[in-house]
Amino acid sequence: MHKVIYDTDPGVDDAMALLFLHRHPEIDLIGITTIFGNASIETTTRNALFLKREWNIAAPVAKGANVTFDPSRKEIGWPTFVHGDDGLGNIGVPATIDLPTDPRPAHRFIIETVRANPGEVTLVAVGRMTNLALALKEDPEIAKLVKQVVIMGGNFYVPGNVSPVAEANIHGDPEAADAVMTAPWKVAIIGLDVTAITTMSRSYLKAAADKGDAAVKLLNDLSQFYIDFYKHAVEDGMMVHDSCAAVYVVAPELFTTVTGAVRVVCGGIADGQTIVKPDGRRFPPGDWDNLPSQTVCTGIKSEEVIDLIRDTLLRA
């Protein structure tokens, strides 16, 4: 079993990944931590509580950061044109959910849960990396106690989606991402190189909803706005970014990878760009030296990933 803390900013594709993590038989979802990004922290936390309630998820929800790791960074607007005004496809999520959050802030929830389960916890982070960076700042030793970190973010050999060189999650808090990439823990980075070519059609999702239970039907409903947004890039379907990261936890063999030190550009016209220095390549001394080698996904068996997502969602 993989003990997983899911760090998320629900978000439509976040919701699909959450249901996958909840239902996969090899995953023990022990916590949900929220972060701002697809919407404000109040909205993403409410959405996490809403999905917890609707899908009968036992894991606690801990509210996370509402400003970037460097608080002087200027905030950009919420991408309501992607995820809707309510963050879940404008399905009419109630303004409040009558469920409590964990009393600890997300970064401390991460620290204490990792320390209580040394060597066992996988962090699956599919939004900005702020909570993880704050946890590292407060308790750097947890890097030695985490089993692995699986990130949805970045782009290495393909263009970005919020600038020519940057992906949204990394661009939203580059300083946090750089802190996470350069920390001495194992990081697997699932970015646009693989997620942008892994799509689920509207008809495929509807067929799953027709076959599945109320949870899958809700997922289908909240995905429609998101699918409409993707009409510029996908033929009547959507990229399942965050679910690819969830799949990596249980089926890394469906991905091809390179390894090397990873840095994030902080500032300037390349703000948020992710760069890997492949292992074995020699360069003059510089800012890449003595950094941990991380795993960057560069290829994916997309059809097998999509089928695994569907099969897992249908495990009621």
Side-chain angles (χ1 to χ4, degrees):
M1 293 290 287
H2 302 272
K3 292 184 177 180
V4 168
I5 296 175
Y6 183 46
D7 192 70
T8 179
D9 57 340
V12 174
D13 55 328
D14 306 70
M16 180 180 287
L18 174 61
L19 189 57
F20 179 93
L21 293 169
H22 174 52
R23 289 198 161 171
H24 197 281
E26 296 173 19
I27 290 175
D28 178 13
L29 183 61
I30 60 174
I32 301 166
T33 52
T34 62
I35 188 65
F36 73 112
N38 287 329
S40 69
I41 190 62
E42 290 77 18
T43 299
T44 60
T45 303
R46 180 214 50 193
N47 289 352
L49 291 171
F50 170 72
L51 296 171
K52 169 184 167 72
R53 185 188 74 183
E54 295 301 302
W55 293 341
N56 194 29
I57 296 173
V61 173
K63 183 179 179 181
N66 64 353
V67 295
T68 50
F69 192 51
D70 175 359
S72 68
R73 266 195 174 266
K74 183 179 179 181
E75 183 52 68
I76 55 179
W78 313 123
T80 55
F81 59 95
V82 181
H83 295 273
D85 294 317
D86 65 3
L88 288 177
N90 288 340
I91 60 169
V93 181
T96 58
I97 304 297
D98 190 22
L99 286 177
T101 56
D102 190 274
R104 295 164 288 184
H107 73 280
R108 194 158 298 125
F109 177 90
I110 291 170
I111 291 168
E112 294 181 8
T113 304
V114 166
R115 285 201 165 274
N117 301 272
E120 297 182 8
V121 175
T122 294
L123 304 177
V124 177
V126 298
R128 304 179 189 196
M129 308 299 149
T130 320
N131 290 332
L132 276 62
L134 290 171
L136 284 169
K137 182 178 180 180
E138 183 169 313
D139 188 355
E141 294 301 310
I142 67 163
K144 301 175 183 177
L145 303 175
V146 169
K147 182 178 180 181
Q148 68 172 336
V149 181
V150 180
I151 286 170
M152 190 278 122
N155 54 295
F156 294 87
Y157 303 110
V158 300
N161 59 3
V162 293
S163 86
V165 297
E167 179 275 330
N169 287 340
I170 306 300
H171 186 263
D173 196 341
E175 286 81 8
D178 192 58
V180 169
M181 304 298 187
T182 57
W185 53 13
K186 291 171 55 179
V187 181
I189 307 161
I190 291 80
L192 298 180
D193 301 71
V194 296
T195 68
I197 57 173
T198 306
T199 61
M200 183 178 290
S201 70
R202 194 189 304 265
S203 59
Y204 189 99
L205 180 57
K206 183 181 184 302
D210 290 343
K211 187 176 181 180
D213 62 357
V216 188
K217 290 177 171 59
L218 174 59
L219 179 63
N220 180 62
D221 290 344
L222 64 85
S223 297
Q224 297 307 306
F225 185 95
Y226 191 65
I227 292 172
D228 289 342
F229 161 76
Y230 267 115
K231 64 185 178 183
H232 68 284
V234 179
E235 185 176 352
D236 205 30
M238 60 179 173
M239 300 176 190
V240 291
H241 300 289
D242 296 345
S243 292
C244 290
V247 167
Y248 182 88
V249 176
V250 296
E253 68 277 6
L254 298 181
F255 299 78
T256 54
T257 62
V258 298
T259 59
V262 175
R263 296 302 305 268
V264 179
V265 178
C266 299
I269 62 171
D271 198 29
Q273 182 178 15
T274 47
I275 304 170
V276 60
K277 172 187 169 293
D279 288 336
R281 290 292 301 272
R282 297 174 63 88
F283 296 94
D287 292 336
W288 301 91
D289 299 342
N290 304 313
L291 293 176
S293 178
Q294 310 296 13
T295 299
V296 172
C297 291
T298 56
I300 188 171
K301 296 180 179 178
S302 296
E303 290 186 10
E304 293 181 43
V305 167
I306 291 294
D307 288 346
L308 177 57
I309 294 169
R310 176 202 58 199
D311 294 347
T312 303
L313 297 181
L314 292 176
R315 290 179 60 92

